[in-house]
């Protein structure tokens, strides 16, 4: 059974940092693109970033470029999102999702349950 | 403001057919596949349609997708109460080099 379990969310002050993790199981993690998608409270979905199977390609939404870094450790079946210089507008539930497609796809066929990040003083 | 434009709400009665539109541009829908996601209250999104009109295993054939030019639509036939959810379209945007979602459409089954 495919499972994605996010962790690392919490309350952080503006300007602070947080590292999200996504533990994958039930599939060959190293064979899939992976994505982060977020959803602000009461708002719609926003794609944040994705990463190729070997980590050689990464893409980001403009609003997080230079502040967030997506990475993966295929040996640990884990996906990460390092978030620096956090702003109030980054407050959201962050989901990790699997993508069986290639570059330029959004076939997000499995999602985690999400982890809440709250940026507030 | 979302790159892809969806109506904020839609409604129908049980058994009816409803459609949800998604409008984009040449850099996203016009040149890439469209995807649709269903999000039931309090849950993670679920992939409903991929590559414009393909259904993942387990998605009822009551759900169908289509695309024409820079617009796409999701049709739900034989509407059921359990279809009440938020629906999002999505596509890759070549100009932004990233994914984009529509603002979402809240479907109410009357």
């Amino acid at each position: 059974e495919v499972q994605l379990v996010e962790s690392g969310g919490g309350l952080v002050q503006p300007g602070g940092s947080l590292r999200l993790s996504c533990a994958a199981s039930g599939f060959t993690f190293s064979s899939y693109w992976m994505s982060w998608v977020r959803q602000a409270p009461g708002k719609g979905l926003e794609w944040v970033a994705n990463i190729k199977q070997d980590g050689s390609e990464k893409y980001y939404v403009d609003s997080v470029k230079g502040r967030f870094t997506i990475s993966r450790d295929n040996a640990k079946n884990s996906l990460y999102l390092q978030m620096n210089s956090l702003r109030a507008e980054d407050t959201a539930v962050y989901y990790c999702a699997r993508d069986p497609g290639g570059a330029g796809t959004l076939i997000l066929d499995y999602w985690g349950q999400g982890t809440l990040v709250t940026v507030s003083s | 403001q979302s790159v892809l434009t969806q109506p904020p709400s839609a409604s129908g009665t049980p058994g009816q057919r409803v459609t949800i539109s998604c409008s984009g541009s040449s850099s996203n829908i016009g040149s890439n596949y469209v995807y649709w996601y269903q999000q039931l209250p309090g849950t993670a999104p679920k992939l409903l349609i991929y590559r414009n009109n393909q259904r993942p295993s387990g998605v009822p054939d009551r759900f169908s997708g289509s695309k024409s030019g820079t617009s796409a639509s999701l049709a739900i036939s034989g509407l059921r109460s359990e279809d009440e959810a938020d629906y999002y379209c999505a596509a890759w945007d070549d100009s932004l080099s990233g994914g984009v979602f529509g603002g979402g459409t809240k479907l109410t089954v009357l």
Side-chain angles (χ1 to χ4, degrees):
Chain A
E1 178 194 6
V2 172
Q3 280 201 314
L4 296 170
V5 180
E6 302 94 337
S7 61
L11 175 63
V12 60
Q13 291 189 337
S17 297
L18 215 53
R19 188 197 197 204
L20 305 184
S21 298
C22 172
S25 61
F27 66 101
T28 305
F29 179 73
S30 59
S31 297
Y32 291 84
W33 281 74
M34 296 295 295
S35 285
W36 287 100
V37 176
R38 67 184 178 183
Q39 186 169 34
K43 302 297 184 182
L45 301 174
E46 181 180 35
W47 177 87
V48 175
N50 68 353
I51 184 169
K52 193 178 179 179
Q53 291 91 331
D54 61 1
S56 62
E57 289 183 43
K58 305 174 185 182
Y59 299 93
Y60 300 89
V61 66
D62 282 349
S63 60
V64 309
K65 283 179 182 175
R67 300 188 300 123
F68 290 11
T69 301
I70 188 172
S71 63
R72 64 192 298 161
D73 185 334
N74 289 339
K76 294 184 178 180
N77 292 332
S78 293
L79 175 72
Y80 306 102
L81 187 67
Q82 177 66 42
M83 304 186 295
N84 298 331
S85 303
L86 282 161
R87 306 166 180 167
E89 53 264 35
D90 295 319
T91 294
V93 172
Y94 285 73
Y95 296 100
C96 69
R98 186 184 86 163
D99 189 341
T105 68
L106 287 171
I107 311 175
L108 306 177
D109 63 348
Y110 283 92
W111 297 61
Q113 84 289 348
T115 187
L116 176 62
V117 172
T118 303
V119 184
S120 175
S121 54
Chain B
Q1 190 144 353
S2 302
V3 173
L4 304 182
T5 301
Q6 298 180 235
S9 63
S11 63
T13 56
Q16 239 184 354
R17 181 178 187 271
V18 296
T19 60
I20 296 172
S21 62
C22 177
S23 178
S25 67
S26 58
S27 63
N28 41 66
I29 293 178
S31 52
N32 292 295
Y33 290 118
V34 177
Y35 308 86
W36 289 92
Y37 293 88
Q38 176 194 59
Q39 188 176 31
L40 299 171
T43 69
K46 169 189 172 183
L47 180 64
L48 211 55
I49 297 289
Y50 67 100
R51 289 180 183 152
N52 301 335
N53 55 20
Q54 302 300 301
R55 283 186 309 276
S57 172
V59 173
D61 59 6
R62 301 187 296 107
F63 295 91
S64 62
S66 64
K67 170 184 148 177
S68 178
T70 59
S71 294
S73 62
L74 173 71
I76 309 171
S77 60
L79 200 60
R80 305 174 69 163
S81 58
E82 56 260 42
D83 297 333
E84 193 160 281
D86 293 324
Y87 292 85
Y88 296 89
C89 60
W92 190 260
D93 191 296
D94 292 334
S95 294
L96 298 175
S97 293
V100 290
F101 279 92
T105 298
K106 184 176 184 61
L107 175 64
T108 301
V109 181
L110 303 168

